[in-house]
Amino acid sequence: MSEAVLAVEAPGASAPGASGARRFWRRLRTQRAALVAAVVVALLVLVALAAPLLTALEGQDPTTYHPSLVDSARGGVPIGPLGGMSADHWLGVEPQTGRDLFARLTYGARVSLGVALAATVVQVAIGITMGVAAALGKRWVDQLLSRFTDIIVAMPLMIMSLALLAIVPSSFPRPVLVALVIGLIGWGNIARIVRAQTLTLKELDHVSAARLSGWGTWSIARRELLPGIAAPVITYAALLVPSNITVEAALSFLGVGVKPPTPSWGQMLTAADVWYQAAPQYLLLPAGALFVTVLALTVLGDGVRTALDPRAASRLRIGTGRKRESRAAEERGRDSKAAGGGAA
């Protein structure tokens, strides 16, 4: 990451990696919204990883039915206030089934975040491979891979995902399948970014010197080019995660994503769409979790982009507020007066 920061600031410049990391952290610390978002994301990841421990503390699990906690005469509405919230069921229970909502929400975080992160890793791996191969290959290789990338970008992600997920046997692990499908269809834009950045970097003097020294193509790519494309790749990957969470939720909502009884926020929304009046918490809890997660990841991704882009960081420091503008105008006026007095 440190080399990526240096590459964005001055392509070909060399400096200690620790210095670049400190510079990145210093820029990121100036953005309070990004820091708050990072804390929220860290808490969400912690909840997802600690789901078994948290549900054990509550004494529940995400799959056990509790028919005694729902009113069958009213269609399965949870018994008790706020959807059946109690000391045994911290967020209440599901309508009809009586399954614990807290347990399903925490385990759903594991599925939603895990699928999104795995899909992002697949997208980044394929995008880097295709982009670097196109930029360093011969002309016909570049043309072939670029046209194939254009086809991938033009494919409607949701429609293709629906088609692929519908034909795969249900015995295949669904979270793994969803992550693979999203990753295999959504790598086109990152491949374009990598190709453009690699074409720029390979014309620099230090890359030409490595080529003249007898280095092989892939040695040059590994040692000289990959550090230079890390910054845009990290930036785009940070913004891909919330997008992939939304896609996973949409696929589960449409019934082709994660299948019951495995909990997923999107799958929970699918079952909750008819209970928004009788048991609103059943809809609001997964919807709120999705909203907070996507918002936090988006803000954090934008903060990473700003920290890795010194021009954006400069604009952030300068600001656009009236007070700062007036202060800058006053400073320019004093400088001009001082310059005039010196000339006289």
Side-chain angles (χ1 to χ4, degrees):
M1 182 180 294
S2 59
E3 293 177 347
V5 175
L6 297 174
V8 172
E9 292 182 349
S14 60
S19 176
R22 286 194 298 268
R23 189 179 297 112
F24 168 79
W25 174 240
R26 187 169 61 251
R27 289 173 181 157
L28 189 62
R29 284 189 304 174
T30 62
Q31 306 173 65
R32 295 182 181 179
L35 292 180
V36 172
V39 172
V40 173
V41 172
L43 289 175
L44 289 168
V45 172
L46 182 62
V47 167
L49 294 176
L53 176 61
L54 294 174
T55 53
L57 289 175
E58 189 195 22
Q60 304 295 335
D61 65 77
T63 57
T64 301
Y65 283 49
H66 299 93
S68 62
L69 299 179
V70 296
D71 188 353
S72 58
R74 299 173 55 197
V77 176
I79 299 173
L82 300 176
M85 289 186 184
S86 65
D88 294 327
H89 301 278
W90 297 347
L91 296 179
V93 296
E94 278 187 342
Q96 292 187 320
T97 65
R99 291 180 296 192
D100 185 77
L101 271 182
F102 176 78
R104 293 189 65 76
L105 203 64
T106 53
Y107 273 89
R110 302 184 105 191
V111 173
S112 295
L113 291 174
V115 168
L117 291 174
T120 302
V121 170
V122 174
Q123 290 169 328
V124 169
I126 298 177
I128 290 177
T129 302
M130 298 293 287
V132 171
L136 298 182
K138 296 182 180 181
R139 184 178 180 86
W140 67 270
V141 174
D142 184 17
Q143 290 292 326
L144 178 63
L145 294 180
S146 296
R147 299 294 78 77
F148 181 61
T149 302
D150 292 341
I151 294 173
I152 294 296
V153 172
M155 285 183 177
L157 176 59
M158 289 299 299
I159 295 178
M160 293 300 300
S161 300
L162 286 170
L164 291 175
L165 290 170
I167 62 176
V168 176
S170 58
S171 59
F172 195 93
R174 214 60 182 183
V176 177
L177 178 61
V178 173
L180 287 175
V181 169
I182 296 174
L184 292 174
I185 299 177
W187 55 265
N189 286 324
I190 199 166
R192 284 180 168 180
I193 293 172
V194 171
R195 175 183 176 275
Q197 188 74 3
T198 303
L199 288 174
T200 301
L201 291 175
K202 77 174 188 177
E203 301 299 330
L204 299 179
D205 292 340
H206 66 95
V207 179
S208 300
R211 190 181 300 111
L212 292 174
S213 299
W215 288 16
T217 300
W218 295 111
S219 296
I220 294 175
R222 180 172 55 87
R223 299 181 183 181
E224 302 293 338
L225 298 179
L226 289 181
I229 65 176
V233 167
I234 292 172
T235 299
Y236 193 74
L239 296 174
L240 271 177
V241 177
S243 174
N244 290 338
I245 287 180
T246 306
V247 172
E248 184 277 325
L251 292 173
S252 297
F253 181 80
L254 294 173
V256 295
V258 178
K259 299 291 186 181
T262 303
S264 164
W265 291 344
Q267 184 253 342
M268 291 174 69
L269 288 173
T270 303
D273 60 350
V274 297
W275 295 98
Y276 64 92
Q277 288 183 332
Q281 84 287 346
Y282 188 29
L283 175 66
L284 294 178
L285 287 174
L290 271 173
F291 174 77
V292 171
T293 304
V294 172
L295 179 63
L297 285 168
T298 302
V299 173
L300 179 59
D302 189 66
V304 170
R305 177 191 60 80
T306 303
L308 290 174
D309 185 357
R311 293 170 296 180
S314 299
R315 292 193 294 269
L316 182 66
R317 289 195 298 270
I318 293 173
T320 58
R322 294 182 179 179
K323 186 174 181 179
R324 292 184 178 181
E325 290 180 354
S326 61
R327 187 180 303 168
E330 290 176 1
E331 291 178 357
R332 288 195 298 269
R334 286 196 297 268
D335 292 341
S336 62
K337 288 181 181 179

